């Protein structure tokens, strides 16, 4: 049957149901979709997640709408694949989510006073389970460090404020400097990065957010530097670091005006 140019409507009481029915249809009609497994779809899930993040940071609503749709498709795919091979389905996924949110919002659902998120999650773990058990292995290193610190903070292992974390970061910076030409450098610079993540956390920001802002700022300034160099017929590859720094400082000065 030729379905070209045909309009399809996938029924369901809600958007998720329609997305699930779309995936079920694709699994029946498209050989590629039918061959996919939960594991084979992981790269697509990760890619679409990053594209959603890019759209958010770009402030582009149309792009975000499109990328959220792609992410929804991937989530629906995972649910459909799971329901084909196990007792998991959309209802069980939502039931688990609802139960978890009610337990973690006692103040909202009339079950008690507001409590810190990590403290509530820590209470859900069994007595024989360590605070750091079950950390997601697929997290990027900065986020993993952040989560480690959040969890140990929930049992009181933390600095009183950001000043303590700043002092620790300064200490680790000195140790990294002392190890600059030794085999210990990788360990010491790792400790420095871990301390900086802690500083960001206690300072009220996520390290990936802070680092991405720094990345964007650097890229923007360097692109201006390239443009300025072309305007003045300066060959970047042949220019001295002193000359490049002079252009860099000029750009920073213009931004302050």
């Amino acid at each position: 049957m030729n379905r070209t140019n045909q309009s399809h409507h996938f029924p369901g009481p809600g958007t998720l149901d329609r997305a699930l029915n779309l995936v079920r249809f694709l699994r029946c009609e498209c050989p590629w979709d039918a061959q996919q497994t939960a594991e084979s779809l992981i790269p697509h899930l990760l890619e679409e997640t990053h594209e959603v993040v890019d759209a958010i940071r770009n402030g582009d609503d149309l792009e975000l709408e499109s990328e959220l749709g792609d992410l929804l498709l991937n989530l629906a795919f995972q649910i459909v694949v799971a329901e084909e091979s196990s007792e998991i389905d959309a209802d069980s996924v939502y039931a688990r989510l609802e139960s978890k949110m009610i337990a973690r919002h006692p103040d909202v659902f009339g079950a008690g006073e507001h409590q810190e998120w990590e403290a509530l999650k820590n209470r859900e773990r069994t007595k024989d389970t360590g605070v750091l058990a079950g950390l997601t292995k697929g997290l990027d290193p900065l986020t993993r460090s952040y989560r480690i610190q959040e969890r140990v903070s929930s049992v009181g292992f933390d600095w009183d404020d950001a000043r303590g974390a700043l002092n620790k970061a300064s200490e680790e910076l000195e140790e990294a400097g002392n190890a600059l030409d030794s085999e210990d450098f990788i360990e010491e610079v790792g400790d420095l990065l871990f301390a900086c993540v802690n500083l960001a956390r206690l300072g009220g920001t996520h390290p990936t957010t802070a680092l991405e802002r720094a990345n964007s700022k650097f890229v923007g300034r360097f692109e201006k530097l390239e443009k300025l160099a072309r305007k003045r017929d300066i060959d970047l590859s042949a220019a001295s670091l002193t000359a490049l720094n002079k252009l860099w400082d000029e750009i920073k000065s213009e931004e302050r005006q």
Side-chain angles (χ1 to χ4, degrees):
M1 178 179 178
N2 186 357
R3 295 182 173 82
T4 304
N5 296 326
Q6 282 193 348
S7 176
H8 290 283
H9 176 72
F10 297 94
T15 302
L16 178 57
D17 296 284
R18 293 170 63 188
L20 292 170
N21 285 331
L22 169 60
V23 171
R24 292 179 185 120
F25 173 81
L26 293 173
R27 295 278 281 177
C28 292
E29 301 295 333
C30 174
W32 185 89
D33 291 302
Q35 292 173 359
Q36 299 313 303
T37 65
E39 187 170 354
S40 72
L41 289 165
I42 288 175
H44 303 284
L45 178 60
L46 292 174
E47 181 179 353
E48 296 303 342
T49 301
H50 286 298
E51 289 181 359
V52 167
V53 172
D54 283 346
I56 292 171
R57 287 174 172 159
N58 291 338
D60 187 327
D61 288 344
L62 288 178
E63 180 188 5
L64 179 59
E65 182 180 58
S66 175
E67 299 303 343
L68 284 173
D70 293 341
L71 182 57
L72 175 60
L73 175 67
N74 272 269
L75 294 175
F77 240 117
Q78 291 292 342
I79 292 174
V80 170
V81 170
E83 72 183 11
E84 291 172 351
S85 59
S86 68
E87 296 182 0
I88 295 174
D89 59 20
D91 289 337
S92 69
V93 169
Y94 177 76
R96 179 69 66 89
L97 170 63
E98 183 181 90
S99 176
K100 189 185 299 181
M101 291 303 100
I102 291 174
R104 294 180 184 176
H105 293 82
D107 52 324
V108 174
F109 293 98
E113 297 181 354
H114 172 76
Q115 298 179 49
E116 291 299 323
W117 186 267
E118 280 302 321
L120 287 166
K121 289 176 67 176
N122 189 44
R123 194 171 301 158
E124 293 171 5
R125 302 182 185 103
T126 64
K127 292 182 179 180
D128 296 330
T129 302
V131 172
L132 298 177
L135 272 172
T136 305
K137 296 179 181 179
L139 293 174
D140 66 272
L142 285 179
T143 301
R144 183 171 169 80
S145 294
Y146 188 92
R147 293 301 182 204
I148 289 171
Q149 293 163 9
E150 267 192 332
R151 287 204 182 183
V152 299
S153 177
S154 70
V155 294
F157 193 71
D158 202 359
W159 300 105
D160 291 333
D161 52 34
R163 180 63 58 181
L166 177 61
N167 292 337
K168 182 61 176 177
S170 298
E171 176 188 322
E172 296 296 350
L173 176 61
E174 182 177 355
E175 292 182 6
N178 293 336
L180 196 57
D181 298 316
S182 75
E183 294 180 353
D184 295 332
F185 178 69
I186 187 171
E187 181 176 344
E188 296 300 342
V189 79
D191 291 343
L192 173 59
L193 289 170
F194 190 85
C196 287
V197 169
N198 219 6
L199 174 60
R201 180 181 64 85
L202 287 169
T205 190
H206 197 286
T208 56
T209 301
L211 185 57
E212 180 54 36
R213 185 170 296 185
N215 288 341
S216 297
K217 181 167 60 178
F218 182 90
V219 169
R221 285 177 177 171
F222 197 82
E223 288 174 345
K224 291 178 182 177
L225 184 150
E226 290 177 313
K227 184 177 180 180
L228 185 58
R230 286 193 297 269
K231 183 178 180 180
R232 297 180 182 177
D233 293 324
I234 298 174
D235 183 355
L236 291 183
S237 61
S240 66
L241 180 58
T242 300
L244 295 179
N245 278 332
K246 186 176 180 181
L247 293 177
W248 186 264
D249 290 339
E250 185 176 337
I251 290 165
K252 289 176 64 177
S253 179
E254 289 177 356
E255 290 178 349
R256 297 190 191 101
Q257 295 177 0

